[in-house]
Amino acid sequence: VAQQVQRVEDRYLREQQDREYQEALEMDRRRAEEREAQRRQEEEERRQAEEEQRKAQEEMERQLKLQQELEAKRRSLAAQLQSASGTARLALRLPSGQRVERKFEPTATLQEVYDWASCVAFLPENSDKGIEIPERFVLKTSFPARDLDEMDRTVDELKLSGTNILLAAIEDD
């Protein structure tokens, strides 16, 4: 009888040790999974931070390039204004309701008008007016209403002399 009791106790002890061993294995597996999940999360956060930093850098470079282009246009236009003897007067109506005028040569192209409109806020004569020009815009005539998009046509060909031109922002889709 004592041997039988000893065997039952030994079997019970082995079963208890096996259960504890399986529980320890399960806990180790869970900890390993948690560590792996945390490592993946940290890696994803690092990747997202790098992506955001890259996008911010690209946006800064794009803005800097745009500023440089506008500054070059401003200098060019300022030099043209000093030597301008244009006879075609154009008035530009801005989204804010402000109005800006300039004389152009009748042979000036619509592209030159767009260049002027894109940097009108940076010209010395407008620096104190608080003018804001949208990054993307289109010029339109008020009557008859039409978009001005033929960049190689001249002010005279488009019959823009003495007209009001509306500057409308292009909304991003």
Side-chain angles (χ1 to χ4, degrees):
V1 177
Q3 284 181 338
Q4 206 175 18
V5 170
Q6 183 64 39
R7 274 190 248 145
V8 169
E9 286 178 1
D10 287 346
R11 188 171 13 118
Y12 176 75
L13 183 61
R14 264 193 314 272
E15 287 173 357
Q16 185 179 4
Q17 287 174 341
D18 286 345
R19 273 193 310 272
E20 288 175 358
Y21 177 72
Q22 291 300 325
E23 288 172 3
L25 281 176
E26 182 63 22
M27 287 177 62
D28 288 345
R29 185 187 60 76
R30 281 191 204 136
R31 273 184 257 162
E33 286 175 355
E34 288 172 1
R35 280 193 304 268
E36 180 62 22
Q38 184 176 4
R39 185 195 62 76
R40 281 193 305 259
Q41 182 180 2
E42 289 171 355
E43 178 67 24
E44 180 64 20
E45 289 172 356
R46 184 189 59 75
R47 189 192 62 72
Q48 286 177 350
E50 287 174 354
E51 180 69 15
E52 288 173 8
Q53 186 178 16
R54 184 188 60 77
K55 285 181 181 178
Q57 180 68 26
E58 286 175 357
E59 180 63 18
M60 254 180 36
E61 289 171 0
R62 189 184 69 75
Q63 289 290 342
L64 180 62
K65 182 180 176 188
L66 184 64
Q67 274 306 102
Q68 290 170 343
E69 289 172 359
L70 284 174
E71 183 64 24
K73 285 180 185 178
R74 185 196 67 76
R75 279 192 224 105
S76 171
L77 286 170
Q80 288 176 11
L81 285 176
Q82 291 174 352
S83 64
S85 62
T87 57
R89 181 179 295 273
L90 298 180
L92 181 65
R93 179 72 62 186
L94 303 172
S96 63
Q98 294 170 300
R99 183 178 164 178
V100 183
E101 291 186 10
R102 176 169 178 224
K103 288 182 181 179
F104 286 88
E105 293 291 331
T107 57
T109 63
L110 183 59
Q111 182 62 54
E112 292 174 47
V113 177
Y114 265 88
D115 289 346
W116 168 69
S118 69
C119 63
V120 73
F122 302 102
L123 295 174
E125 65 270 16
N126 300 323
S127 61
D128 61 341
K129 293 182 181 177
I131 294 175
E132 289 188 26
I133 304 294
E135 190 173 314
R136 294 182 41 191
F137 64 88
V138 65
L139 298 179
K140 301 179 176 196
T141 59
S142 53
F143 188 78
R146 63 184 165 109
D147 288 357
L148 297 172
D149 55 7
E150 301 170 80
M151 299 300 181
D152 56 343
R153 303 233 3 233
T154 66
V155 170
D156 192 43
E157 290 172 345
L158 294 168
K159 301 192 183 336
L160 296 178
S161 182
T163 62
N164 283 319
I165 298 175
L166 304 174
L167 184 142
I170 297 176
E171 299 296 325
D172 290 329
D173 293 335

